């Protein structure tokens, strides 16, 4: 498979290269990182017959325009951008321009390229870690992305890749290790409606709502954190740890989002409501 | 005292075992079928696993077997790393005052003994080093963190010493700086101070 310049960035809002991340390095303080909506990332790759872990572009709220520098096969999944084929492979001719407008639903669109986006891996992954600044920095105008290009797969898989997938506005929560640091933590989380805050990012999704009340005032020594952990700092507003979260922390974790529901959080938009249902 | 297993969702368990037992608990957990990763911290080990039935029971049995009749691992078993430090930190004078010592006493204490990397967190390659002698071990964080601590800053806080691998915000007390490379992702062993590494700070002249 040869790698050739494939796409030039003409305009961009927020877009990074992501794959399945670099798990297994938490003991050295390295976040797992990787595509925030893994299901959509996989769907985009599978539409092209790519290997599951082939690096793709994670685009937040559209705004990406690229020029094809050669014939390129593309697959889109996640948040649907107006007027573009979704969940199935399509071809850009050399010189053709692809513009991702703002999705009407969801936040993150995955742009997969046949053969994968070719960038230098760090600790075995192409993912941009926005906390640790590891990997290929966010895309900028003028960037040229190489792709591993070969003959198009004979049988690319068309998948149902548009947002919304079955999402009823809730995700499931399990008890966390420090639920007892707050009054009736699980009940409080599940009985209130939470609003996704605009100052959320790949590190954490901040939820606004009725503050949780501490049962104790001491400090917690730093301990390991899982993706999906619901941390509650002193202001009582929960923060859900996402792919770029720090590996240790001293804020109590009262609950953990079910791993199978994490993809939904990647598509939640600021101001949207979320319920946390006890698993 | 047996470690306490705290719930952490369907694919993880947080084991509370006290700092002395962290290395042994981490080693035992890592060897169990279905365990994907273990992450030591100050007094706990986070065990991530594949969610198979019976995982918690397997961990409980394994911990019980190792803790009966054995002692925690003290000190480090890893290589010894010397870190050359210019003791010119912004907080060196404040730390001396807080400890009731002269600046040179603070430096002497910081360089007097072998420290051990207990765990990493906060940033890639950021190691929490234990073994600080008193009164350095009782020095607390600055009340207001700095928005930027330079790469290579050598610091203490909350009973630990550390070297900042790269520039970042930070609230620790800065004693000096080193040119040592703490984090190199291109290296086979990307973190200079991986857990278990023994560390000796050495003063070099400014």
């Amino acid at each position: 498979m040869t790698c050739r310049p494939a796409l030039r960035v003409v305009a961009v809002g927020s877009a990074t290269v992501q794959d399945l991340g670099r798990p297994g390095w938490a003991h050295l303080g390295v976040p797992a990182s990787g595509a925030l909506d893994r299901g959509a990332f996989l769907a985009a790759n599978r539409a092209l017959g790519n290997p599951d872990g082939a690096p793709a572009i994670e685009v937040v709220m559209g705004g990406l325009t690229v020029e094809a520098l050669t014939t390129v096969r593309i697959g889109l999944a996640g948040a649907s951008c107006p007027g573009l084929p979704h969940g199935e492979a399509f071809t850009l001719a050399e010189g053709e321009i692809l513009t991702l407008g703002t999705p009407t639903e969801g936040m993150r669109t995955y742009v997969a390229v046949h053969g994968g986006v070719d960038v230098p891996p760090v600790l075995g992954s192409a993912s941009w870690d926005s906390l640790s600044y590891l990997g290929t920095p966010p895309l900028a105008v003028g960037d040229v992305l190489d792709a591993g290009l070969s003959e198009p797969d004979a049988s690319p898989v068309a998948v149902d890749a548009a947002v919304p997938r079955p999402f009823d506005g809730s995700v499931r929560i399990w008890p966390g290790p420090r639920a007892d640091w707050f009054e009736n933590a699980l009940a409080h989380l599940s009985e209130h409606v939470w609003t996704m805050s605009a100052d959320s990012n790949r590190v954490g999704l901040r939820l606004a709502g009725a503050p949780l009340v501490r049962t104790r005032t001491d400090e917690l020594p730093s301990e390991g954190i899982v993706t999906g952990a619901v941390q509650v700092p002193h202001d009582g507003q929960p923060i859900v740890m996402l792919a770029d979260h720090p590996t240790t922390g001293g804020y109590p974790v009262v609950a953990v989002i079910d791993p199978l529901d994490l993809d939904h959080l990647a598509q939640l938009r600021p101001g949207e409501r979320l319920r946390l249902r006890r698993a | 005292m047996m470690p306490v297993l705290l719930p952490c969702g369907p694919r993880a368990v947080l084991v509370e075992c006290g700092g002395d037992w962290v290395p042994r608990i981490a080693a035992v957990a890592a060897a169990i079928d279905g365990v994907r990763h273990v992450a030591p911290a100050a007094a706990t080990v986070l065990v991530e696993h594949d969610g198979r039935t019976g995982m918690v029971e397997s961990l409980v049995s394994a911990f019980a077997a190792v803790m009966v009749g054995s002692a925690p691992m003290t000190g480090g078993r890893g290589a010894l790393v010397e870190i050359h430090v210019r003791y010119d930190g912004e907080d060196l004078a404040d730390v001396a005052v807080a400890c009731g010592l002269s600046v040179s006493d603070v430096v002497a204490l910081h360089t007097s003994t072998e420290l051990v990397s207990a765990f990493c967190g906060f940033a890639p390659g950021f190691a929490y080093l234990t073994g600080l002698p008193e009164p350095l071990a009782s020095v607390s964080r600055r009340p207001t963190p700095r928005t930027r601590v330079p790469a290579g800053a050598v610091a203490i806080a909350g009973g630990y010493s550390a070297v900042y691998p790269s520039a970042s915000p930070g609230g620790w007390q800065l004693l000096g700086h080193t040119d040592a490379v703490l984090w190199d992702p291109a290296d086979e062993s990307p973190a200079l101070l991986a857990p278990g590494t023994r560390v000796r700070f050495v003063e070099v002249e400014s």
Side-chain angles (χ1 to χ4, degrees), chain B residues 42-144:
Chain B
T44 59
V45 177
L46 177 66
V47 179
E48 296 188 71
H49 57 76
D50 61 8
R52 65 180 60 184
T53 321
M55 172 58 64
V56 169
E57 289 76 9
S58 301
L59 289 171
V60 169
S61 305
F63 298 149
V66 76
M67 291 186 85
V68 169
S70 70
M73 297 194 305
T74 52
R77 298 295 169 90
L80 176 66
V81 171
E82 264 190 11
I83 302 215
H84 293 182
V85 182
R86 288 187 167 73
Y87 282 92
D88 57 4
E90 278 185 47
D91 305 320
L92 187 53
D94 285 349
V95 167
V97 167
C99 291
L101 298 170
S102 66
V103 163
S104 56
D105 287 342
V106 170
V107 174
L109 272 179
H110 195 248
T111 55
S112 66
T113 184
E114 213 174 83
L115 306 182
V116 177
S117 169
F119 66 100
C120 289
F122 172 70
F126 187 100
Y128 291 75
L129 307 176
T130 55
L132 274 182
E134 291 290 0
L136 296 188
S138 294
V139 172
S140 54
R141 279 181 172 74
R142 297 189 62 73
T144 305

Side-chain angles (χ1 to χ4, degrees), chain A residues 17-277:
Chain A
V17 178
Q18 297 293 336
D19 55 18
L20 293 173
R22 49 184 74 86
W25 295 98
H27 64 292
L28 298 185
V30 183
S33 198
L36 236 56
D37 182 344
R38 286 170 69 106
F41 167 84
L42 291 170
N45 272 331
R46 287 171 182 168
L48 292 170
N50 275 347
D52 275 354
I57 307 170
E58 177 177 278
V59 182
V60 182
M61 293 299 282
L64 176 70
T65 300
V66 291
E67 176 193 355
L69 299 177
T70 181
T71 305
V72 188
R73 294 273 282 168
I74 299 283
L76 301 178
S80 215
C81 295
L84 292 179
H86 213 68
E88 59 186 35
F90 62 96
T91 302
L92 295 179
E94 182 177 330
E96 198 171 336
I97 304 287
L98 171 67
T99 297
L100 272 64
T102 308
T104 51
E105 282 176 310
M107 279 265 281
R108 289 179 172 84
T109 305
Y110 292 86
V111 181
V113 178
H114 196 288
V117 174
D118 184 55
V119 293
V122 174
L123 294 179
S125 166
S127 291
W128 168 249
D129 175 344
S130 63
L131 183 77
S132 321
Y133 302 111
L134 294 180
T136 302
L139 301 192
V141 172
D143 284 354
V144 171
L145 294 173
D146 292 352
L149 303 170
S150 63
E151 292 308 306
D153 191 280
S155 56
V157 179
V159 295
D160 179 12
V163 166
R165 281 160 293 128
F167 176 51
D168 62 1
S170 74
V171 293
R172 291 163 296 173
I173 53 171
W174 297 84
R178 307 297 178 188
D180 59 337
W181 281 55
F182 290 85
E183 287 178 12
N184 304 309
L186 273 290
H188 184 108
L189 289 176
S190 61
E191 286 163 13
H192 288 89
V193 178
W194 303 93
T195 302
M196 195 265 205
S197 172
D199 57 356
S200 302
N201 52 33
R202 284 183 48 87
V203 174
L205 188 152
R206 292 175 180 256
L207 295 174
L212 283 84
V213 177
R214 285 270 289 243
T215 58
R216 50 198 287 181
T217 55
D218 50 328
E219 292 299 310
L220 182 66
S222 279
E223 53 194 23
I225 305 171
V226 294
T227 301
V230 180
Q231 263 194 349
V232 184
H234 295 291
D235 63 3
Q237 301 293 279
I239 307 176
V240 182
M241 297 286 96
L242 298 181
D244 290 353
H245 70 83
T247 56
T248 57
Y251 292 135
V253 170
V254 302
V256 177
I257 308 283
D258 190 288
L260 298 177
D261 290 350
L262 287 174
D263 287 351
H264 297 314
L265 299 180
Q267 301 297 352
L268 207 59
R269 289 159 76 123
E272 286 186 341
R273 298 185 159 202
L274 182 69
R275 297 207 68 119
L276 305 173
R277 250 193 313 125

